[in-house]
């Protein structure tokens, strides 16, 4: 297998160059590890979220929720996050750098990068200390006692505190799930690796409530289903794996957790966690609020459901899809940079390009563009040489370019250029929308797989 040409630097550069993702507050010198998404970044990220919603709501046993970012501080007290979502932290008295105590084995000593922190001759680490990852803010204009609130560090708690509402209004009974997509905030100690770990990020989380006896079975189901989701969206199977956590890695609430991991340019890393959270959360909120949270069966039996949670990150998925898609090829002595994204994820599905800006070609191209726009994200581009326009579309991952030329005006046929094979085919212009809709719906495997 030829070596993958992708590096993190190349992805960062492409994202900037093509308007996917910019460092935030750049004109003020930036604010560490915070990013803004430009047009193509928004389209890609929206496509990822839509694919997730389709996978969730395509089933009949999952409903949607959108809970508030700010929640009652007692939510975090009950969930254990106010006290417990802490990462042990160590400082080096010599170099003043700060590290996560549980990551020392993966980090490099800033003074002697061949060593891990604590292993260099001059390292002088403090004992591990707890550090709260939640951002604190004030509700109301005056900072006074009792006005503290926290930005949510995960979307999940918003689901648990609404369990009773949903149970009542959705007419669902376990097994059923509640899905949510939204921003979460963690004051991460060591953010970095572009959008892999940021302090503000989006999550796609689903809490699946089940009768306790069915929890092991549903845990298995969701591990496989979530792995399959990434494969269906084109991530190469040899770059994906499921890794079961060891007992000493489990969170305080979990009786089983597995990560979907992707082979990023930085190595195998977590894309998504699937956890069997048991009845920890619902019981914690019942105790915290003093209100019972349980399911009552028709025969009167009561129980607290167990929860299986697949929790994914939008930015991390975007990064994985970009890394998996990035390719460079030699084309007529020049390097062609191309994003071989699954067509359903590609920010733009089709570009309509008149070969020249005259002889009626722009008009015919505009007609096709209008027809395509109704069905899919389509771009019209008449500026610059055709080669330059192809290169631009390749770099943003557009799977199809339709070229209008001299012949198109004579017989209403156009050329479709395929991003991955570079094959060109001539088809009647009126067939293009149906043809591309069918291709968009078809299954797809990465041409990089097994390359
Ligand atoms: P990690 O060990 O990488 O910090 P985690 O196990 O704490 O992640 P979870 O709490 O399970 O993460 O969150 C679920 C998902 O949310 C993660 O798999 C990841 O995709 C995403 N996520 C979590 N923290 C961040 C972050 N700081 N930046 C970007 N995405 C994140």
């Amino acid at each position: 297998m030829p070596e993958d040409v992708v590096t993190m630097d190349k992805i960062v550069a492409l994202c900037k160059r093509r308007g996917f993702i910019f460092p935030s507050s750049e004109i003020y010198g930036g604010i560490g590890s915070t990013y803004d998404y430009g047009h193509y970044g928004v389209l890609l990220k929206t496509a990822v979220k839509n694919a997730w919603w389709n996978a969730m709501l395509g089933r009949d046993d999952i409903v949607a929720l959108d809970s508030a970012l700010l929640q009652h501080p007692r939510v975090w007290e009950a969930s254990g996050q106010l006290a417990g979502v802490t990462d042990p932290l160590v400082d080096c008295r010599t170099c003043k750098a700060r590290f996560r105590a549980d990551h020392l084995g993966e980090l490099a000593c800033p003074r002697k990068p061949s060593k891990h922190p604590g292993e260099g001759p001059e390292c002088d680490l403090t004992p591990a200390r707890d550090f709260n990852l939640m951002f604190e803010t004030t509700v109301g204009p005056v900072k006074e006692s009792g006005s503290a609130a926290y930005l949510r560090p995960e979307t999940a708690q918003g689901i648990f505190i609404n369990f009773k509402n949903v149970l009542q209004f959705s007419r669902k009974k376990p097994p059923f799930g509640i899905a949510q997509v939204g921003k979460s905030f963690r004051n991460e100690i060591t953010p970095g690796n572009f959008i892999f770990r940021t302090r503000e990020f989006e999550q796609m989380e689903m809490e699946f409530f089940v009768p306790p006896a069915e929890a092991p079975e549903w845990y298995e189901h969701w591990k496989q289903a979530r792995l399959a989701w990434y494969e269906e969206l084109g991530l190469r199977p040899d770059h994906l794996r499921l890794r079961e956590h060891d007992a000493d890695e489990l969170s305080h609430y979990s009786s089983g957790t597995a990560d979907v991991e992707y082979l990023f340019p930085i190595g195998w890393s977590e894309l998504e966690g699937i956890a069997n959270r048991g009845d920890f959360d619902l019981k914690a909120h019942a105790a915290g609020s003093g209100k019972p949270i349980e399911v009552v069966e028709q025969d009167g039996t009561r129980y607290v459901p167990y929860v299986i949670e697949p929790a994914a990150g939008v930015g991390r998925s975007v990064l994985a899809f970009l890394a998996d898609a990035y390719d460079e090829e030699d084309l007529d002595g020049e390097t062609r940079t191309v994003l071989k994204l699954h067509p359903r994820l590609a920010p733009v599905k089709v570009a309509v390009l008149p070969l020249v800006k005259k002889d009626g070609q722009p008009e015919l191209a505009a007609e096709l563009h209008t027809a395509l726009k109704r069905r899919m994200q389509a771009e019209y581009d008449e500026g610059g040489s055709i080669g330059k326009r192809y290169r631009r579309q390749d770099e943003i991952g557009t799977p199809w370019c339709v070229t209008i030329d001299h012949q198109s005006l004579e017989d209403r046929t156009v050329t479709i250029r395929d991003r991955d094979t570079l094959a060109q085919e001539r088809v009647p212009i009126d067939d293009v929308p149906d043809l591309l809709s069918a291709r968009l719906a078809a299954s797809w495997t990465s041409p990089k797989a097994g390359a």
Side-chain angles (χ1 to χ4, degrees):
M1 198 163 74
E3 210 176 312
D4 212 337
V5 294
V6 66
T7 63
M8 208 62 126
D9 286 345
K10 286 181 183 175
I11 296 176
V12 175
L14 175 72
C15 283
K16 177 99 200 273
R17 183 165 77 242
R18 292 300 179 191
F20 280 80
I21 301 167
F22 315 106
S24 186
S25 311
E26 211 177 2
I27 62 166
Y28 288 103
I31 168 165
S33 299
T34 307
Y35 294 92
D36 297 337
Y37 284 72
H39 182 66
Y40 296 126
V42 173
L43 292 175
L44 172 57
K45 170 158 111 144
T46 304
V48 169
K49 289 191 276 188
N50 284 342
W52 188 87
W53 275 122
N54 287 340
M56 294 296 152
L57 301 183
R59 308 170 51 112
D60 295 325
D61 54 2
I62 296 182
V63 295
L65 180 78
D66 187 21
S67 70
L69 287 176
L70 291 174
Q71 291 162 24
H72 198 292
R74 287 184 53 201
V75 170
W76 312 116
E77 228 175 271
S79 71
Q81 270 144 325
L82 202 51
V85 173
T86 56
D87 278 336
L89 176 80
V90 296
D91 289 310
C92 178
R93 296 185 187 96
T94 311
C95 68
K96 310 291 178 220
R98 181 168 272 190
F99 314 98
R100 263 174 73 165
D102 56 337
H103 280 189
L104 291 180
E106 300 148 34
L107 299 170
C109 166
R111 290 209 168 176
K112 207 162 174 31
S114 62
K115 302 266 185 204
H116 298 307
E119 292 177 352
E122 297 167 40
C123 294
D124 182 9
L125 301 187
T126 62
R129 289 176 300 169
D130 280 351
F131 180 81
N132 199 308
L133 295 180
M134 280 198 291
F135 280 97
E136 192 176 330
T137 185
T138 305
V139 172
V142 183
K143 197 167 183 168
E144 56 195 2
S145 82
S147 64
Y150 302 89
L151 299 182
R152 66 180 181 196
E154 59 176 16
T155 64
Q157 298 305 323
I159 295 178
F160 298 129
I161 60 174
N162 277 293
F163 177 73
K164 279 175 88 167
N165 283 336
V166 176
L167 199 61
Q168 196 175 345
F169 295 109
S170 68
R171 299 166 65 217
K172 297 275 181 225
K173 277 267 156 72
F176 83 101
I178 306 178
Q180 162 152 249
V181 175
K183 285 239 164 140
S184 293
F185 299 81
R186 294 182 196 173
N187 207 349
E188 299 275 7
I189 300 154
T190 46
N193 286 318
F194 194 36
I195 52 172
F196 181 84
R197 188 183 303 285
T198 50
R199 295 199 170 97
E200 173 182 345
F201 55 96
E202 268 181 293
Q203 290 187 302
M204 306 181 282
E205 296 194 295
M206 195 276 291
E207 308 300 324
F208 201 74
F209 300 92
V210 300
E214 295 178 21
E217 186 189 317
W218 281 109
Y219 176 54
E220 287 308 313
H221 169 85
W222 281 110
K223 282 194 295 192
Q224 298 310 327
R226 293 306 304 148
L227 183 68
W229 184 78
Y230 292 101
E231 286 179 356
E232 277 157 26
L233 288 175
L235 290 189
R236 289 165 290 172
D238 61 354
H239 280 57
L240 272 174
R241 70 180 185 196
L242 266 176
R243 188 183 68 82
E244 202 82 36
H245 281 206
D246 295 332
D248 60 353
E249 279 181 277
L250 294 177
S251 320
H252 59 284
Y253 53 73
S254 172
S255 58
T257 299
D259 289 342
V260 178
E261 293 190 332
Y262 177 73
L263 184 54
F264 285 94
I266 51 170
W268 285 103
S269 307
E270 172 179 340
L271 250 188
E272 163 162 357
I274 297 104
N276 178 353
R277 295 175 76 122
D279 56 10
F280 176 87
D281 304 275
L282 292 183
K283 279 197 168 152
H285 288 300
S289 65
K291 298 182 183 82
I293 304 178
E294 51 189 12
V295 173
V296 185
E297 291 291 359
Q298 285 204 319
D299 64 5
T301 50
R302 296 165 177 269
Y303 68 94
V304 180
Y306 272 30
V307 179
I308 310 300
E309 172 196 77
V314 177
R316 249 182 231 187
S317 303
V318 165
L319 185 60
F321 288 120
L322 286 170
D324 212 67
Y326 185 97
D327 210 359
E328 288 170 2
E329 290 167 356
D330 186 50
L331 191 66
D332 306 329
E334 276 189 48
T335 302
R336 173 173 96 113
T337 303
V338 52
L339 286 184
K340 293 174 176 169
L341 287 165
H342 191 300
R344 280 203 290 281
L345 295 183
V348 175
K349 314 303 179 195
V350 55
V352 184
L353 317 171
L355 203 54
V356 293
K357 242 192 289 185
K358 55 180 187 186
D359 303 336
Q361 289 186 21
E363 289 77 9
L364 190 59
E367 179 192 318
L368 177 61
H369 180 227
T370 304
L372 284 167
K373 262 196 305 192
R374 281 189 217 113
R375 309 233 195 149
M376 62 192 77
Q377 193 67 38
E379 242 180 39
Y380 172 84
D381 186 4
E382 58 173 29
S385 74
I386 191 74
K388 224 171 142 193
R389 283 180 275 165
Y390 281 151
R391 261 199 307 282
R392 181 170 172 279
Q393 297 298 336
D394 285 343
E395 288 205 356
I396 63 168
T398 306
W400 304 291
C401 287
V402 179
T403 312
I404 313 291
D405 57 15
H406 175 68
Q407 191 182 330
S408 310
L409 290 148
E410 289 172 0
D411 62 6
R412 285 186 70 84
T413 63
V414 294
T415 312
I416 302 180
R417 170 192 183 262
D418 183 281
R419 174 197 68 197
D420 301 333
T421 62
L422 295 176
Q424 311 233 12
E425 59 183 318
R426 197 165 261 285
V427 299
I429 191 167
D430 298 315
D431 292 354
V432 173
D434 280 348
L435 201 86
L436 295 189
S437 292
R439 285 186 193 173
L440 207 50
S443 68
W444 183 90
T445 35
S446 169
K448 282 174 77 186

